[in-house]
Amino acid sequence: MRLRFPACFKAVAVAGAVLGLPAPSAFAQAAKVAPAVSATSWSQPKTPWGDPDLQGTWTSDDCIGTPMNRPANLGEKLYYTEEELAQRQGQLERQHQNDLTETVAPDARVGTGPPAHWGERARRPCRQTSLVVDPPNGRTPDLLPEARLRPVPEGAGNNDPKADSWEDFSYYIRCISRGVTGSILPVIYGNGQQIVQAPGYVTILQEMVHEARVIPMDGRPHPGPNVRSYMGDPRGHWEGNTLVVETTNFLNGKTGIGLNGGGTPTTDALRLVERYTRTGPNEMHYEVTVDDPKTYVKPFKIAFPLTQEPGYQNFEYACHEGNYAMFDSLSGARAKEREAAAKAAGKKN
Amino acid sequence: MFDRMRTGVLLSAAIILCAAAVPGISQNARSTAQIPHMPDGKPNFTGLWEAFGSANWDIRDHSSGPSPFFQLGAWGAMPAGEGIVEGGDIPYTPEAAAKQKENYQNRMKLDPEVKCYMPGIPRANYMQYPFQITQSQKDIAFAYEYATANRVVNMGPFKKAAVDTWMGTSNGHWEGDTLVVDVTGLNGNSWFDRSGNFQSDSTHIVERLNLADADHINYEATVEDKTIYTRPWKLSTVLYRRKEKNAQLNEFKCVEFAEELIYGDLRKK
């Protein structure tokens, strides 16, 4: 069971923008390894029944801290230069050294969150300037006017959230789901994706909020429009060595496309097409095309690498079972109200 | 039409009766040709499975009973059922037997299922929800519809449980055509059923899955825990392949069905 500290996410996200490191032992190993590129001698292994074999536990850690939307001043520049990457590698190494230091500076700001080194860190610098890769400016297309009016539930990072009810919080904070994109986009921890294949199925087990996506590969049709879910209904097929997963039948107005399922909730018109292409023994290219004609003015594409790392594995993420954050947020808000009421009553007297 | 229906009903009845009469479907009737195999010759358990019966209400013999909430009427009532515990009863120590009774009295408050907590092992396998097995040439994934609970059975070298969890750490191996799964690292919060039968963080479970034919798994679990039972005991049931042509694992994210119950008193008045 992992403890969750939503209030600290903002701080960690800022720290994450500087980027970070891995578990110390893995880092020492990874730092010497050149950024992942496909090895020339590598060829896609096949399962005994002839499908491309994508099995293993993959993580999107390397792009932790890379923004979804590219800063406008970078224009259409998707990749950092080698020089910039070397600089960022240096930042990772400094961050790693900081993480090994257990002392807290006397003037350190004390917050309610955990120390930053509790999060996962990238093992090598992310080559991309943004997670959105299409349109060419790397920015999420505009919302439709009706989508702008859609309420966005309270995400992580607000130390003084509206907490009238659990329903004010995001589906992630409630430990229900982060949606399909939110369950694979790189965040502060729990980015593991374990792929298990059988003849006719690909199953992806995702650490955070313990999702399990069972993807039939036999071309069967989606269920009718009245069977809807947070994670949607996936159908897969192979295009060469690429696993293509088309997902529909989403619930209306639940999670958004952003990190941890944040942002404007998508609708029942959402259709995702993901492509998983292994590019080396420990490297995979992931991309997802987001098409929600009731939310965005046009479809867009997000992409980032997944890697396999020595010793990396999924752990049970018993989110709801250990959701003290929800108790604390709600009971804290009620305590504040009682305090305010007592104060007001005192003034009257 | 009528004949086909009647045959179907008779066949179902026969299956249910047989399943009830003998724990597990007779191995004699089995023809290996009927069993799906992996390319390496191992039985292939891949598919959508579900237990019948009312073991999730009580794994011991039980009569039918009313719902704890009269408002639910017959919807929430408990069906009768033959127990899945071999020998009939669970060999609790006297202290543990008292705790089970207490659990039962407070079951609406204490049963992890009420709160949509993960079900643990073996309960996940015989709740009234289907689950999907994805069997690779290496590891075997179990994805349960209830609460999106899941586990991966490690078929490689034995891995010691790194930490106690709700679903435990599953290490599997083959004994002939039987998949044997050793489960340790259980956190002790799980129950076996809605009747307060419970385990502890010392509980060790060994599951055995065997394909009786293409569509039935004989499932058994040996339960061992010196802290609460006087001897190891065993439960066994049958898992049925879901055969409807459009049957698939659906989503039952029950957290939001339990939030009012769990947090209701903290809502702004």
Side-chain angles (χ1 to χ4, degrees):
Chain A
M1 186 184 312
R2 290 221 181 156
L3 298 177
R4 299 170 61 257
F5 293 86
C8 80
F9 285 6
K10 195 193 272 170
V12 173
V14 171
V18 187
L19 282 195
L21 24 109
S25 59
F27 185 82
Q29 221 169 355
K32 291 183 200 124
V33 178
V37 281
S38 88
T40 46
S41 60
W42 180 83
S43 65
Q44 170 67 61
K46 296 286 167 83
T47 63
W49 54 95
D51 288 339
D53 194 338
L54 308 184
Q55 296 180 97
T57 301
W58 303 83
T59 175
S60 54
D61 282 357
D62 276 357
C63 288
I64 290 173
T66 298
M68 183 76 110
N69 294 303
R70 189 176 309 150
N73 64 324
L74 292 177
E76 297 197 352
K77 176 178 165 173
L78 173 57
Y79 295 108
Y80 287 115
T81 62
E82 289 304 322
E83 198 179 319
E84 288 165 329
L85 286 172
Q87 211 172 32
R88 297 175 87 80
Q89 177 72 40
Q91 289 170 349
L92 288 185
E93 283 163 20
R94 282 193 296 282
Q95 178 75 69
H96 173 59
Q97 286 309 316
N98 288 343
D99 281 355
L100 292 178
T101 310
E102 288 195 20
T103 53
V104 177
D107 58 346
R109 207 164 55 90
V110 177
T112 53
H117 66 263
W118 282 22
E120 297 282 352
R121 305 291 199 184
R123 290 162 182 82
R124 47 193 83 77
C126 182
R127 306 180 78 81
Q128 295 172 213
T129 59
S130 60
L131 298 172
V132 173
V133 297
D134 188 45
N137 70 359
R139 299 186 68 81
T140 308
D142 287 341
L143 292 169
L144 292 163
E146 64 267 33
R148 282 187 215 130
L149 302 174
R150 226 168 271 156
V152 179
E154 191 77 57
N158 187 349
N159 277 322
D160 190 19
K162 177 173 186 274
D164 292 352
S165 147
W166 53 94
E167 287 165 318
D168 293 327
F169 292 89
S170 72
Y171 295 93
Y172 169 47
I173 300 293
R174 291 163 71 183
C175 294
I176 296 173
S177 181
R178 302 184 297 164
V180 169
T181 56
S183 297
I184 190 166
L185 283 163
V187 293
I188 62 163
Y189 56 49
N191 295 319
Q193 316 276 320
Q194 182 170 7
I195 299 179
V196 179
Q197 294 173 228
Y201 289 94
V202 176
T203 292
I204 305 179
L205 301 119
Q206 304 173 307
E207 179 175 301
M208 190 124 65
V209 203
H210 63 88
E211 301 287 1
R213 301 179 68 198
V214 175
I215 305 164
M217 302 293 290
D218 59 0
R220 74 181 77 167
H222 289 290
N226 292 336
V227 182
R228 296 192 171 274
S229 56
Y230 287 92
M231 292 297 281
D233 186 68
R235 292 290 182 265
H237 67 274
W238 299 102
E239 287 181 12
N241 287 332
T242 298
L243 168 65
V244 182
V245 184
E246 188 240 5
T247 308
T248 60
N249 292 61
F250 288 99
L251 284 164
N252 192 52
K254 301 287 186 180
T255 54
I257 293 300
L259 302 186
N260 292 322
T264 300
T266 48
T267 70
D268 54 6
L270 176 64
R271 177 175 178 268
L272 297 176
V273 178
E274 301 165 275
R275 300 176 67 88
Y276 298 76
T277 311
R278 201 166 166 181
T279 56
N282 297 308
E283 298 84 33
M284 176 131 63
H285 175 76
Y286 173 79
E287 60 177 57
V288 53
T289 299
V290 179
D291 186 8
D292 182 355
K294 291 185 191 169
T295 300
Y296 295 103
V297 295
K298 58 177 178 184
F300 61 103
K301 193 193 282 184
I302 298 166
F304 46 88
L306 302 174
T307 61
Q308 289 195 98
E309 304 294 343
Y312 188 98
Q313 67 172 93
N314 278 2
F315 287 94
E316 180 176 282
Y317 192 87
C319 181
H320 169 60
E321 293 80 355
N323 197 355
Y324 299 102
M326 184 60 80
F327 274 111
D328 294 347
S329 300
L330 295 173
S331 62
R334 301 295 81 78
K336 275 185 172 175
E337 285 159 12
R338 283 194 300 274
E339 192 181 37
K343 224 176 202 174
K347 270 183 195 157
K348 268 182 218 158
N349 296 338
Chain B
M1 181 69 187
F2 174 71
D3 275 348
R4 218 163 43 191
M5 269 176 61
R6 192 169 55 181
T7 314
V9 168
L10 284 173
L11 201 63
S12 310
I15 290 170
I16 291 165
L17 284 173
C18 293
V22 213
I25 292 198
S26 165
Q27 304 255 337
N28 301 336
R30 164 176 148 176
S31 145
T32 40
Q34 291 181 301
I35 298 172
H37 286 95
M38 296 291 281
D40 67 358
K42 296 277 183 263
N44 182 358
F45 289 93
T46 298
L48 189 67
W49 303 94
E50 188 170 342
F52 285 161
S54 57
N56 188 45
W57 282 94
D58 193 336
I59 55 173
R60 302 161 306 178
D61 288 344
H62 56 274
S63 307
S64 63
S67 161
F69 296 102
F70 72 86
Q71 295 91 336
L72 288 173
W75 270 24
M78 169 172 77
E82 293 70 34
I84 61 170
V85 179
E86 289 193 0
D89 211 0
I90 300 169
Y92 286 117
T93 62
E95 301 77 36
K99 186 175 172 192
Q100 183 273 324
K101 286 196 177 70
E102 201 181 308
N103 284 347
Y104 178 80
Q105 293 306 322
N106 298 297
R107 61 196 188 280
M108 291 310 299
K109 209 173 169 176
L110 299 179
D111 182 0
E113 186 192 349
V114 172
K115 289 181 266 196
C116 184
Y117 288 175
M118 289 189 214
I121 301 297
R123 189 176 184 182
N125 298 305
Y126 50 78
M127 294 179 84
Q128 293 281 274
Y129 300 89
F131 64 95
Q132 170 81 31
I133 297 179
T134 306
Q135 180 175 335
S136 78
Q137 76 273 33
K138 293 178 260 182
D139 297 335
I140 305 178
F142 285 63
Y144 300 97
E145 185 162 302
Y146 166 78
T148 323
N150 60 71
R151 61 170 166 157
V152 175
V153 177
N154 165 45
M155 299 298 288
F158 189 92
K159 272 190 199 161
K160 197 170 175 287
V163 63
D164 282 359
T165 55
W166 287 83
M167 299 301 286
T169 296
S170 292
N171 283 287
H173 69 272
W174 295 97
E175 286 178 12
D177 280 353
T178 302
L179 172 63
V180 183
V181 185
D182 179 279
V183 187
T184 53
L186 292 160
N187 68 10
N189 292 325
S190 297
W191 285 13
F192 288 94
D193 55 24
R194 293 175 174 173
S195 294
N197 289 306
F198 70 105
Q199 51 186 247
S200 88
D201 61 4
S202 308
T203 298
H204 172 213
I205 308 239
V206 178
E207 303 168 276
R208 298 176 71 86
L209 288 83
N210 194 280
L211 278 168
D213 57 36
D215 298 325
H216 302 89
I217 297 173
N218 286 328
Y219 174 87
E220 60 176 58
T222 304
V223 186
E224 177 197 32
D225 186 343
K226 288 193 176 95
T227 68
I228 49 176
Y229 315 120
T230 56
R231 57 173 168 80
W233 55 280
K234 198 196 276 186
L235 59 80
S236 58
T237 188
V238 174
L239 305 172
Y240 296 77
R241 190 188 294 277
R242 292 286 302 263
K243 297 281 282 182
E244 304 86 337
K245 70 179 191 307
N246 54 356
Q248 64 171 32
L249 194 76
N250 285 308
E251 189 180 89
F252 186 71
K253 291 191 178 294
C254 47
V255 171
E256 62 182 330
F257 312 143
E259 287 175 310
E260 182 77 49
L261 174 77
I262 298 172
Y263 309 120
D265 58 333
L266 295 172
R267 189 200 279 274
K268 187 174 186 175
K269 299 286 184 301

